[in-house]
Amino acid sequence: MSTPEENAPGSGGADAARDARPVVVIGAGPAGLTAAYQLAKLGDPVVVAEADDVVGGISRTVERDGWRFDIGGHRFFTKVRPVEDLWNEILTDDDFLLRPRKSRIFYKGKYYDYPLRVTDVFKLGPKEVLLCGCSYLWAKVRPPKDQTNYEGWLVARFGWRLYRHFFKTYTEKVWGVPVADMPADWAAQRVKNLELGKAVLHAIAPKRKQTSITTLIEEFRYPKFGPGMMWEACAEKVEAMGGSVLMETRVETIHLESGRAVGVTVSGDGTSRRIEANHVISSMPVAELVRSLDPPPPDEVLAAGRDLHYRDFLTVALVVSAEAAFDDNWIYVHAPEVHVGRIQNFGQWSPYMVVEGTTCLGLEYFVFEGDALWETDDDTLVKMATHELEQLGLARPDAVERGYVVRVKKAYPYYDFAYRENVAKVVDWLAANAPNVHLVGRNGMHKYNNQDHSMFTAMLTVENIHGANHDVWSVNVEEEYHEERSTAEPETPDDVGGGTGRDAPILPWPPAPR
């Protein structure tokens, strides 16, 4: 796949960056604001256009009546040194808390610690453990013939019984389609190095031996008022350095002339205006970007954009008394009898997120915009979530004081069998026809990266505008990235990994939080 920076004479360089026209950044999420911040520091004029009324994208902090909600849970841990340096530049040490990490899996009426302990392995029962072992060995001898789909890929590595126990139900809950209908490359990056033997070894090895193999991330930093605190501060700093952050401002058109983007028409407050542009950095969904180009690209490129899909998301936040809460940061719910996929305990992320004497449990539902859950009214969703909390044995209905619903569109880029080809068509066309349109971030690249890697794509893009030649598409995150601390040096611009990026929000053996 070509990148917009390649095959594009005159697409970057310091002279281009110093043009009097601003760089227009589309989207005020982590990638967009990181790009704007880096540009403003370099003295480049920059304008950020954000369609929402709050910054941060899915990394925002939502506030309701004094309670704060984190959309998905965002740990501030990274192996990318420039990103960590940037976090420390935007917020101070006093703004961060060091939080203990605890999570569990709920499956068939039982809670399993993560990482697995030997006692958890045997919760399946001695007979089932033996059958899973035999199924695993049989899969090694007679793997599925078709491993191009996710189901075949997983069965070949874990066996049918473990696949059905810890993958099938939960994955279908998260993504809303049969596992066999998902491409193997979608999952391969996420679990590419995971083996059953390694998981069991970790469960039964003495603690000293585990430490010699790897050190699990047992604590992490977290902004005291949630991840949105980072991006609110970042937006303020961008404006203090002379940049503009336009809220509730939607990009309608990206104007192309003579093989470059030359301007962006935005709308807001019932009016529209055109902003002349030197470069455009886009973190908006690729499908929306393609529709905004004028003149429009060929039909096959427009069709490729339309054929990129997304998974949407809603959180039902239930306020309960502090005594009724559990001490996990989050719990993964594999139980098929409930709709909820994951439950956050916001009070365990930060006591500043909740009102004293209470905590707030965020029940997360993976949906498609327009489906039955998405269209259900808030009161009904609160009642349903309260009932599911009781079904899971976590809290009685009378412990729930109130509830709130937060909906997020296009939370996760969806990987189907055609997504790779579709993205390539769009990127290759931009490289040849609008090389100063740069794609960054999760939705901007249709690539399921974590927050820090989305930021890193923006940082490298700014360097490219100033004459560098980084391949932002190589920025990636391995499957155990946020689960293990390595003794290796953090990533730098010349060491950004490879592959297709973060390919699943969570996988159940072991589950990795977003």
Side-chain angles (χ1 to χ4, degrees), residues 399-418:
V400 177
E401 299 179 10
R402 65 186 73 187
Y404 305 91
V405 176
V406 179
R407 293 173 174 81
V408 180
K409 298 179 181 179
K410 295 180 173 61
Y412 307 121
Y414 176 75
Y415 288 10
D416 57 21
F417 284 96

Side-chain angles (χ1 to χ4, degrees), residues 81-324:
R81 179 170 291 160
V83 169
E84 185 165 11
D85 291 343
L86 185 61
W87 285 338
N88 294 331
E89 193 174 311
I90 295 172
L91 295 181
T92 68
D93 285 343
D94 291 339
D95 294 322
F96 284 103
L97 302 175
L98 191 62
R99 303 301 294 162
R101 173 199 186 283
K102 180 181 178 182
S103 61
R104 286 181 293 170
I105 302 166
F106 181 83
Y107 173 68
K108 285 195 172 180
K110 298 177 182 179
Y111 287 94
Y112 296 78
D113 287 334
Y114 178 74
L116 288 172
R117 303 176 188 273
V118 65
T119 52
D120 290 314
V121 174
F122 287 100
K123 284 181 183 177
L124 291 171
K127 179 180 178 181
E128 188 59 29
V129 169
L130 179 61
L131 291 173
C132 286
C134 292
S135 176
Y136 168 74
L137 293 174
W138 179 249
K140 292 297 181 183
V141 175
R142 296 288 298 273
K145 292 182 179 180
D146 183 5
Q147 295 184 38
T148 62
N149 66 67
Y150 184 22
E151 180 176 83
W153 192 95
L154 287 169
V155 170
R157 285 152 181 81
F158 299 97
W160 279 103
R161 296 190 79 89
L162 277 174
Y163 160 72
R164 292 191 180 108
H165 280 314
F166 290 105
F167 286 92
K168 180 176 170 62
T169 299
Y170 187 76
T171 303
E172 292 180 352
K173 182 185 291 189
V174 171
W175 290 106
V177 296
V179 185
D181 291 346
M182 302 169 70
D185 71 302
W186 178 93
Q189 289 297 318
R190 191 63 186 150
V191 292
K192 58 186 174 185
N193 292 326
L194 182 62
E195 293 288 347
L196 174 62
K198 291 181 181 179
V200 175
L201 175 64
H202 189 280
I204 64 177
K207 186 172 184 179
R208 182 173 58 82
K209 178 64 175 176
Q210 289 181 15
T211 304
S212 69
I213 299 171
T214 186
T215 302
L216 285 158
I217 304 303
E218 300 291 354
E219 56 187 12
F220 56 89
R221 293 200 305 162
Y222 190 74
K224 61 171 65 173
F225 293 112
M229 183 181 183
M230 174 70 71
W231 305 115
E232 291 158 13
C234 185
E236 291 174 1
K237 290 179 182 291
V238 168
E239 294 192 310
M241 289 186 286
S244 298
V245 180
L246 309 177
M247 304 303 297
E248 298 182 86
T249 301
R250 181 173 297 279
V251 169
E252 302 292 346
T253 308
I254 299 174
H255 302 280
L256 308 179
E257 291 180 13
S258 303
R260 291 177 64 81
V262 296
V264 177
T265 293
V266 299
S267 64
D269 294 327
T271 63
S272 64
R273 65 186 177 99
R274 173 167 166 157
I275 304 170
E276 300 305 313
N278 178 25
H279 288 261
V280 175
I281 297 177
S282 175
S283 65
M284 72 193 299
V286 176
E288 295 178 13
L289 171 77
V290 170
R291 290 197 299 268
S292 73
L293 297 171
D294 181 39
D299 288 344
E300 64 175 9
V301 177
L302 291 171
R306 287 194 299 269
D307 198 37
L308 291 171
H309 305 289
Y310 306 85
R311 188 69 160 152
D312 307 292
F313 177 87
L314 66 85
T315 290
V316 181
L318 301 179
V319 176
V320 301
S321 63
E323 295 77 15

